[in-house]
Amino acid sequence: MDMSFDLTLIIVLALVLIALAVLFTFVPVMLWISALAAGVKIGIFQLVGMRLRRVIPARVVNPLIKAEKAGLDIELNKLEGHYLAGGNVDRVVNALIAAQRANIELTFERCAAIDLAGRDVLEAVQMSVNPKVIETPFIAGVAMDGIEVKAKARITVRANIDRLVGGAGEDTVIARVGEGIVSTIGSSTDHKAVLENPDMISQTVLKKGLDSGTAFEILSIDIADIDIGKNIGAGLQTDQAEADKKIAQAKAEERRAMAVAHEQEMRAKVEEMRAKVVEAEAEVPMAMAKALKSGNLGVMDYMNIQNVSADTDMRESIGKETKSNEDGYDNPGPTKNT
């Protein structure tokens, strides 16, 4: 009898231990006790319901305790809904606490929307209190005198809570400031004026309202460094002169080719005219023979023509020898045999 009683007692104790293990595993009793100790009214069945909805109770209850201690009035259902939507409940609560301490008007709905949009809402609130400095790389611009000027700027920005959802980020601010620097340098007639007064760049850029449509408010733009780059104008003029030179050479080559072609044409015409002369000279003996046969030309006349032709050939020969002597060519006289 005693043995059966002891066995029954052991079984009962084992069942109780198993029940307690299941209870503490499935039901966050310690979390429920912590909430009650912090003054947060939450039921044990609400925690069980979170388990059933696949919500980690600690991810919701601990931020709720933190908000209650900070004096924020946030409903449990809103925190749970934000968790189910994929938001970071702890970061949202921290952002709301920071906004309350800094006297920044920020509702839970707005804060949750910013968090779900993918932005760090806590960092945004901190940036609203403590502005952030964004440093740009060296941005090059060319003044009207052709000298390249490089400038580096430091942009002091403050987060604009109202424009965090849908507002442009830091890259857009840097791009707009870079565009303003380039246009300001480009509108300067002399690069020396930019070097003497770099504040002119920041003043001109600030007047353009570059923070419109962005998630930031630009407080100041300061030129951190400025330097001289290349002489772009001289380089462009050199390239233009080289291009003009090549164009002139191409045109000269074209004219030379046309002159050579024209010379060849003239030579062909000369050869053609010589052929016509030879053809005309070939007709002279035939005409003289015909004149002798017809009696229009006598024998003495023919002999006189031959004498005149011989005299002409002799004069041409003497003229060629005289010209060769004048040009410096050796003209040895007739050799005498000894």
Side-chain angles (χ1 to χ4, degrees), residues 10-319:
I10 293 172
I11 294 174
V12 171
L13 289 176
L15 292 175
V16 170
L17 291 176
I18 293 173
L20 290 175
V22 172
L23 178 63
F24 281 98
T25 302
F26 190 75
V27 180
V29 178
M30 296 303 298
L31 185 63
W32 175 66
I33 295 173
S34 299
L36 291 180
V40 177
K41 296 180 181 180
I42 185 171
I44 191 69
F45 293 104
Q46 287 180 304
L47 298 177
V48 174
M50 290 182 188
R51 291 285 192 185
L52 296 176
R53 289 188 292 271
R54 295 184 179 180
V55 175
I56 301 176
R59 297 286 181 87
V60 176
V61 175
N62 287 332
L64 182 61
I65 295 173
K66 190 187 304 182
E68 181 70 22
K69 289 300 181 181
L72 297 178
D73 186 14
I74 303 176
E75 296 179 3
L76 177 63
N77 291 333
K78 291 183 178 181
L79 295 179
E80 188 177 352
H82 185 65
Y83 178 85
L84 291 173
N88 191 323
V89 178
D90 191 61
R91 187 165 54 191
V92 168
V93 171
N94 290 336
L96 289 172
I97 295 172
Q100 183 193 36
R101 295 294 187 269
N103 292 326
I104 298 175
E105 185 178 353
L106 182 62
T107 62
F108 175 81
E109 288 74 14
R110 186 68 179 174
C111 191
I114 295 172
D115 184 63
L116 293 176
R119 293 187 181 274
D120 192 337
V121 63
L122 179 59
E123 182 183 358
V125 173
Q126 292 173 348
M127 195 184 300
S128 297
V129 179
N130 185 20
K132 180 180 179 180
V133 177
I134 303 173
E135 185 169 329
T136 67
F138 270 109
I139 300 171
V142 181
M144 290 185 182
D145 58 355
I147 304 298
E148 182 185 33
V149 179
K150 299 178 180 179
K152 179 187 290 187
R154 285 195 178 100
I155 313 165
T156 304
V157 296
R158 181 172 57 194
N160 192 330
I161 302 296
D162 296 332
R163 292 203 300 250
L164 278 177
V165 178
E170 294 183 11
D171 294 337
T172 302
V173 174
I174 294 175
R176 290 182 181 179
V177 171
E179 181 183 357
I181 292 174
V182 171
S183 62
T184 303
I185 296 175
S187 61
S188 301
T189 56
D190 191 355
H191 71 282
K192 296 180 182 178
V194 181
L195 295 177
E196 292 174 357
N197 188 16
D199 186 57
M200 170 183 65
I201 299 176
S202 58
Q203 291 178 357
T204 305
V205 174
L206 276 175
K207 292 178 182 178
K208 294 185 177 182
L210 302 180
D211 54 1
S212 62
T214 65
F216 304 98
E217 178 185 354
I218 297 178
L219 300 179
S220 66
I221 299 175
D222 304 310
I223 302 301
D225 192 8
I226 192 166
D227 195 6
I228 296 295
K230 299 179 181 178
N231 192 338
I232 304 297
L236 292 176
Q237 291 177 359
T238 302
D239 295 340
Q240 185 63 42
E242 186 68 22
D244 294 340
K245 175 185 174 183
K246 291 181 179 180
I247 293 174
Q249 289 177 346
K251 291 182 178 179
E253 182 65 22
E254 181 182 0
R255 290 194 296 270
R256 189 192 69 80
M258 293 177 63
V260 171
H262 185 67
E263 180 184 3
Q264 296 297 328
E265 290 179 359
M266 291 299 102
R267 287 181 179 179
K269 288 184 179 180
V270 169
E271 295 297 329
E272 182 181 357
M273 298 304 294
R274 286 178 179 174
K276 290 181 179 180
V277 170
V278 172
E279 184 180 359
E281 289 177 351
E283 294 179 355
V284 172
M286 297 175 61
M288 293 179 64
K290 186 176 180 181
L292 288 171
K293 288 180 181 181
S294 60
N296 294 328
L297 181 66
V299 177
M300 294 304 297
D301 295 331
Y302 177 73
M303 294 301 296
N304 290 332
I305 292 172
Q306 292 294 325
N307 290 332
V308 171
S309 177
D311 291 340
T312 301
D313 292 339
M314 182 180 65
R315 290 190 183 96
E316 290 180 354
S317 176
I318 293 172

